[in-house]
Amino acid sequence: MQTEKINKHLVLKNATIIDPFNSTEINGDIYIKEGKINSIGKATYPSSSKIIDCTDRIVTHGFCDIHVHFREPGEEYKEDLNSGSQAAIAGGFTRVCVMPNTSPVIDSPELIRYIVNRSNECPIHIHPIGAVTKSQKGKELTEMKAMLNEGAVAFSDDGVPIENSSVLRNALSYSSMFYENIKIINHAEDLTLKNSSVMNEGIISTKLGLEGSPDITESNMVLRDLEIAKITNAHIHIPHVSAGKSVKHINSVKKDYDKVTAEVTPHHLFFSDEDLQDYNANLKVAPPIRTRDDRKILINALKDGTIDCIATDHAPHALEEKECGFNCASFGMIGLESCYGAVNKILLKENNFNVISLLKLMTTNPRKIMGFENDLFSKGKDAELVILDPKEKWKFAEKNIYSKSKNSPFIGEDLVGKVKYTIVKGLINKI
Amino acid sequence: MKNKHLIGLEGYPKQDINEIIETAFSFKEVLERPIKKVPSLQGKTIVNLFFENSTRTRISFELAEKRLSADSINFSASSSSLNKGETFKDTVKNIESMKIDAAVIRHSFPGSALMLTNYIDSVVINAGDGTHEHPTQALLDIVSLKEKFGYIKNLKIGIIGDIAHSRVALSNIYGLITLGAKVTLCGPSTLMPIKIEELGLTVNNNIDEVIEWADAINVLRIQRERMNNALIPSVREYRKLFGITQSRIEKHNSELVIMHPGPMNRWVEIDSNVADSEQAIILDQVLNGVATRMAILYLLLSGTTKKDS
Ligand SMILES: [Zn+2]
C-alpha cells in the first residue's frame, strides 16, 4: 500500500461515477480541490492537477462498516485502531464503527472519549459503539446520554447476547429518549440452546462429530428482540443475520414497524456449513455459518430490502487462538480486506444485483442506519471515496491482509472486484 | 493403500478396508504362535500421542507395535508440557523433529487427527478424535464380525446407545455401509445425532425390534454425566428402554451376537451375564484389536505403501 497526501488539485479522470445517495451513474471526471469535492462529471481544473486515470473503474463513496472489532484497548496483539484502519483502507472502508467488547469494555463516557481521541490520530473515521450494560454483564445500563455526548453512535453488548428480556426492554426504552434514531444492537443467540456448540446443527455437524446449534438459536432471540423493540417503540438493529428463519421474522415485523434494520456479513453470504468439512477453524464464527438454503435466503433478503446492509464483523484473533483445534478455537474471522471482492462476486456476478444497489449496501445504507452524512458527492464535502476495478479477478492471499491477524477463510478463494484506491482524511491510499 | 493416513472411514476405499481385514487375519495367526513377534517394522519409530487417557486403546497399539518390532514411544498429556501452556502444534512439531515414522493420536477434539496431518509429515493414525471417528475400533469390530460370520455384506448390525457422544458409532457406520452391511441405530432420541439417517441407515428406538432384526449388535457405553444435561432421566429408565438384558435376548433373538467396544458399565447398558455369555464376542474383539492395528501399521508403514506423501 502506498499512501500520500492528497494533492491540492486532484482529478479522477474518465471514471464511472456512481453516487449511491442519489442513485446516479455517470461517466466523467471528479475534480477534488484542496481535499474537497469541487465538481463531478464535466470538470474544469488546472493543468497542474494530479491525474488518476480511472478508465474502466468505478468511483463511489467510501465504504462504511458498522460492525468491526479492533481490539483496542486490551488485546493489541490481535489488532489496534491503527492496524485496523489499514485493514479497512485495504478493503475500501473509510468509516467504521468499533464494537465495545474490549478490555476494559467501552462502557463509560471516558472510554468513549478515549476511542474518539485515538480515532482522530487514525487515517479513517472510527466511531465507537458503547456497551449497553456495564462490563457487558447484562445487568446495569451504561450512562448512555453521557456516552452519546462523547461520540458514541450506538449501543451493543456484541459478543454477549442480552439474555434478560427486561434489561433489553429497558435499554431500548431508555436509549430512545435521546435521539430519534439511536440503535441498540443485540447479538442474537439463545445461549441455553447454543450450549457449547461450535457450528450450525445439521448433517455436517453430525458427520464432523461437532456440537451444533439449530437456526432457531438465533431466530428465537431475533423474534424476541423485535417484539420488545415494538412495545418500547425504539430502534433495534439486528447484527450478522445468519438464519433464514430470522429473515422471516424481520420481514414480517418490518411490514408494520419501521424502526428495524439488519445487517449480514460477507461470510454468511459466501460460505455454507459444507465448507467446514475439513475443520477450518477460520470458519468458526458466532453466529455460525449455516446451510446453503439459509445462504440463499440471506441473499434474497438483501435484494428485497429485508436486510439493509453488509457489515463484516471483522474479528481478529491470533494464530494460536485459531489453530488449537476447532473446538477450542475462538469465534470470529477478519473480513475487511476481502469484503468487496467477495460480495461483488456473490451478488453482482452470481445473483444479478445491479451495481448501484450493491454499492448502497456498503455505503449509503450503513451510513443511514448510523445517521452519518450521506450526500458525499455534493460540492464542498471532504473527499471520502474509493476507486474500484469491478471486474478484476484475483485470489485472496495472506499478502492482501493488513490486519495484525490472519484468520481469514477467504485465503485461497477466487474473488471478483478489487479496491484500487481509498481516499479519505486527506490521504490517497493506493492499494 | 490409497491413503497415506488413517483419519476416518468416511469415504475410505472399500478395497483398502478389505486389505486391512485380510492382513489382520494373517497377523492373528502370528498372535496364536508361541513366538508372537515378526520383524516387519524393524527400524520404524512410532509415537503414541495420547492427549486423552485411553488405557485399552493405548495398550492395544503398543502391543501391536511391539509385535511388529517397531520402536515406540508414549506421550501422554498428563506427563507433558501441555499443562505448562505449550500449544498442540509446538508439542507435535517437537516430537516430529525427533524423526518418527508414524504418530498414533488420541485427542478429545473432533478433527484433531486431521489437524495433525497439517503439522507433521509422518503417517497419522487416528486412535479416536473426540466424538468424531475411531476408525481402528470400527475396523477391529468389522474383523470380528467377519471372523464370526464369514461375510459382511447384508449383515444386519444394530448399534445401541449413546450414538451422539460416541466416536465408535460413526466409524462403524461408514465402514459397515461401505462393505454392504445394513445398519440400524437404536438409542434415546436425545442421544441421536441430528439427520444421521442421511448416512444411509435406519433409526429405530424400539430395542426389542432391533434385537429381533439384527445378526449382531454393538452396545455402546452410557455415561452417567448424560443425566446431568437432561439427556436421559435415570439408569433405571435407560435399562428399561434400551438395556441389553438376558430376558430380551432370550425372548427376541437367542442367536444374536453381542459386541461392546468397552469399557462396559455392567448392569447399565448391558447385563453382566449377557456380556459374559457365549454369544458375546467382546474378548475376541480385544485380541482382534491387536491384529487389526498390526495390519494397519504394517500396511501404512512398510515400504510397499510409500505412494503419496
Ligand atoms: Zn456479534
Side-chain angles (χ1 to χ4, degrees):
Chain A
M1 198 189 298
Q2 288 171 352
T3 300
E4 55 187 81
K5 272 190 122 165
I6 200 162
N7 308 67
K8 198 169 175 202
H9 303 284
L10 172 66
V11 179
L12 312 180
K13 206 167 166 43
N14 200 19
T16 301
I17 303 160
I18 295 180
D19 178 354
F21 179 70
N22 291 304
S23 300
T24 57
E25 175 177 341
I26 56 166
N27 289 310
D29 306 334
I30 298 185
Y31 171 37
I32 296 160
K33 190 180 172 190
E34 285 161 358
K36 293 181 192 306
I37 301 287
N38 184 281
S39 46
I40 287 193
K42 280 201 178 119
T44 44
Y45 46 85
S47 56
S48 61
S49 302
K50 152 109 179 172
I51 307 282
I52 298 177
D53 177 24
C54 293
T55 310
D56 296 328
R57 304 267 160 95
I58 290 172
V59 177
T60 190
H61 295 181
F63 298 152
C64 173
D65 189 344
I66 62 173
H67 191 149
V68 300
H69 300 269
F70 280 179
R71 307 300 187 204
E72 183 181 338
E75 291 180 311
E76 287 85 352
Y77 68 98
K78 298 184 186 198
E79 195 83 288
D80 59 36
L81 296 178
N82 297 82
S83 63
S85 296
Q86 294 305 309
I89 287 169
F93 292 90
T94 53
R95 197 172 286 272
V96 301
C97 302
V98 288
M99 281 294 175
N101 61 335
T102 49
S103 178
V105 171
I106 307 300
D107 62 358
S108 69
E110 292 77 10
L111 286 161
I112 294 287
R113 171 57 36 199
Y114 167 81
I115 300 287
V116 169
N117 287 341
R118 281 283 291 114
S119 158
N120 291 333
E121 305 159 4
C122 291
I124 60 163
H125 302 285
I126 299 175
H127 303 276
I129 293 172
V132 177
T133 64
K134 287 175 191 152
S135 308
Q136 293 186 300
K137 289 223 163 77
K139 294 201 169 86
E140 300 168 43
L141 297 185
T142 54
E143 296 170 318
M144 290 182 182
K145 179 61 173 127
M147 290 163 82
L148 287 168
N149 289 348
E150 294 297 334
V153 293
F155 296 97
S156 178
D157 280 357
D158 188 62
V160 188
I162 301 169
E163 288 200 276
N164 184 312
S165 301
S166 295
V167 171
L168 181 70
R169 176 186 185 172
N170 293 339
L172 280 158
S173 170
Y174 190 80
S175 69
S176 68
M177 288 195 292
F178 308 119
Y179 298 107
E180 169 53 23
N181 193 23
I182 203 73
K183 299 289 187 305
I184 299 284
I185 305 167
N186 183 39
H187 179 119
E189 279 187 294
D190 175 349
L191 297 180
T192 61
L193 206 46
K194 178 171 173 153
N195 284 323
S196 46
S197 68
V198 292
M199 65 175 294
N200 183 54
E201 182 181 273
I203 183 63
I204 308 291
S205 63
T206 288
K207 285 166 89 168
L208 292 173
L210 292 171
E211 189 180 335
S213 60
D215 54 0
I216 58 167
T217 306
E218 174 182 271
S219 63
N220 277 1
M221 194 176 262
V222 165
L223 182 60
R224 179 203 71 163
D225 294 357
L226 292 167
E227 293 294 345
I228 293 176
K230 272 164 74 173
I231 61 165
T232 53
N233 199 29
H235 278 265
I236 189 145
H237 175 74
I238 314 291
H240 40 54
V241 176
S242 70
K245 283 201 182 110
S246 307
V247 170
K248 207 173 114 196
H249 296 322
I250 295 166
N251 186 278
S252 79
V253 170
K254 266 190 165 186
K255 279 180 185 145
D256 54 1
Y257 187 70
D258 64 358
K259 296 178 176 176
V260 178
T261 50
E263 71 190 32
V264 64
T265 70
H267 50 270
H268 286 106
L269 298 172
F270 196 93
F271 297 104
S272 75
D273 59 352
E274 291 163 42
D275 294 307
L276 272 71
Q277 303 215 44
D278 61 352
Y279 296 93
N280 181 355
N282 285 333
L283 284 166
K284 181 176 170 184
V285 285
I289 307 275
R290 300 201 191 270
T291 65
R292 269 197 232 186
D293 291 344
D294 290 293
R295 183 176 166 260
K296 251 182 236 150
I297 295 170
L298 294 173
I299 291 169
N300 285 330
L302 281 173
K303 240 182 205 168
D304 69 19
T306 306
I307 296 179
D308 300 85
C309 75
I310 285 163
T312 66
D313 193 9
H314 179 84
H317 290 293
L319 193 60
E320 296 72 26
E321 293 160 326
K322 276 296 189 182
E323 66 179 14
C324 59
F326 201 93
N327 265 7
C328 89
S330 305
F331 288 98
M333 67 169 80
I334 59 167
L336 288 164
E337 297 95 327
S338 50
C339 178
Y340 173 63
V343 165
N344 188 57
K345 180 184 180 187
I346 295 297
L347 300 185
L348 200 79
K349 293 279 156 205
E350 294 171 15
N351 287 281
N352 308 316
F353 274 59
N354 77 53
V355 63
I356 296 181
S357 53
L358 166 81
L359 291 173
K360 278 180 194 243
L361 300 172
M362 298 171 68
T363 55
T364 312
N365 295 6
R367 281 190 174 86
K368 195 170 156 199
I369 290 169
M370 287 298 171
F372 297 151
E373 173 60 59
N374 228 334
D375 190 8
L376 298 187
F377 280 175
S378 63
K379 190 166 180 167
K381 290 283 153 58
D382 286 335
E384 184 182 343
L385 52 86
V386 280
I387 303 175
L388 311 168
D389 181 341
K391 296 212 170 91
E392 184 171 336
K393 292 190 170 128
W394 57 301
K395 201 181 269 299
F396 191 70
E398 208 172 299
K399 68 169 199 294
N400 302 115
I401 295 175
Y402 289 83
S403 169
K404 279 187 190 176
S405 299
K406 312 292 175 202
N407 55 309
S408 171
F410 288 99
I411 292 172
E413 292 290 343
D414 292 315
L415 306 182
V416 182
K418 203 166 186 203
V419 177
K420 307 307 277 187
Y421 290 87
T422 303
I423 298 175
V424 60
K425 276 195 165 180
L427 297 172
I428 304 175
N429 303 279
K430 186 175 182 204
I431 315 305
Chain B
M1 302 286 276
K2 203 158 174 279
N3 298 297
K4 176 182 172 182
H5 310 289
L6 176 58
I7 304 303
L9 294 189
E10 183 186 1
Y12 205 73
K14 185 175 177 177
Q15 204 184 331
D16 290 0
I17 296 180
N18 281 324
E19 197 175 348
I20 291 169
I21 298 171
E22 293 317 314
T23 313
F25 285 131
S26 322
F27 281 123
K28 187 147 186 200
E29 269 170 44
V30 172
L31 295 176
E32 315 277 359
R33 294 179 196 162
I35 292 168
K36 300 173 181 62
K37 200 164 174 148
V38 288
S40 312
L41 292 185
Q42 209 152 35
K44 301 279 185 192
T45 307
I46 301 167
V47 56
N48 301 315
L49 292 169
F50 277 65
F51 292 93
E52 178 188 69
N53 260 337
S54 174
T55 314
R56 285 154 179 271
T57 305
R58 204 201 57 210
I59 287 176
S60 180
F61 266 106
E62 261 186 75
L63 197 57
E65 289 151 9
K66 289 195 161 68
R67 297 286 191 237
L68 292 166
S69 309
D71 296 313
S72 57
I73 342 161
N74 289 315
F75 165 93
S76 66
S78 48
S79 64
S80 78
S81 49
L82 274 188
N83 297 332
K84 295 166 199 138
E86 190 182 50
T87 66
F88 174 82
K89 187 179 173 184
D90 287 340
T91 305
V92 299
K93 286 225 162 245
N94 253 293
I95 289 169
E96 160 134 283
S97 65
M98 298 173 199
K99 306 282 176 216
I100 58 163
D101 298 291
V104 173
I105 177 176
R106 169 72 158 234
H107 198 293
S108 59
F109 290 163
S112 48
L114 183 67
M115 183 164 75
L116 186 60
T117 64
N118 297 328
Y119 297 153
I120 69 174
D121 291 324
S122 331
V123 169
V124 172
I125 295 166
N126 183 6
D129 61 333
T131 47
H132 180 223
E133 285 219 43
H134 192 359
T136 65
Q137 175 70 45
L139 288 165
L140 77 87
D141 290 342
I142 290 169
V143 165
S144 306
L145 286 167
K146 180 94 190 254
E147 185 179 58
K148 184 78 190 173
F149 292 94
Y151 62 96
I152 300 292
K153 196 168 183 202
N154 291 327
L155 262 185
K156 290 181 263 181
I157 311 297
I159 303 176
I160 317 297
D162 185 357
I163 313 293
H165 298 91
S166 168
R167 54 187 128 246
V168 180
L170 263 186
S171 291
N172 259 285
I173 290 164
Y174 291 130
L176 288 166
I177 289 176
T178 299
L179 298 183
K182 295 190 164 55
V183 178
T184 294
L185 305 181
C186 182
S189 50
T190 47
L191 298 175
M192 202 57 73
I194 199 107
K195 296 188 173 175
I196 190 131
E197 57 283 354
E198 288 183 19
L199 299 180
L201 47 81
T202 309
V203 175
N204 180 352
N205 44 33
N206 182 324
I207 190 66
D208 296 324
E209 285 176 18
V210 175
I211 287 175
E212 208 171 304
W213 166 85
D215 298 311
I217 57 169
N218 205 339
V219 186
L220 305 176
R221 178 182 166 79
I222 284 290
Q223 286 177 310
R224 284 170 190 273
E225 296 98 271
R226 305 299 166 233
M227 280 166 270
N228 304 334
N229 303 328
L231 291 166
I232 51 171
S234 69
V235 165
R236 183 171 70 171
E237 175 123 324
Y238 180 84
R239 266 179 63 75
K240 218 170 229 164
L241 289 170
F242 302 101
I244 304 305
T245 59
Q246 176 114 46
S247 61
R248 277 201 163 111
I249 300 291
E250 276 167 8
K251 192 168 165 202
H252 298 291
N253 189 349
S254 53
E255 306 281 284
L256 185 67
V257 171
I258 314 276
M259 300 199 289
H260 195 301
M264 271 185 284
N265 281 316
R266 286 169 184 264
W267 305 112
V268 180
E269 68 266 7
I270 189 166
D271 277 8
S272 208
N273 40 357
V274 173
D276 298 334
S277 69
E278 283 289 301
Q279 62 205 100
I281 57 167
I282 296 167
L283 292 176
D284 302 287
Q285 285 175 277
V286 178
L287 182 62
N288 289 334
V290 178
T292 305
R293 289 177 174 121
M294 285 172 79
I296 292 160
L297 290 165
Y298 171 75
L299 289 170
L300 292 178
L301 278 171
S302 63
T304 52
T305 61
K306 287 232 161 144
K307 274 183 211 153
D308 55 335
S309 55

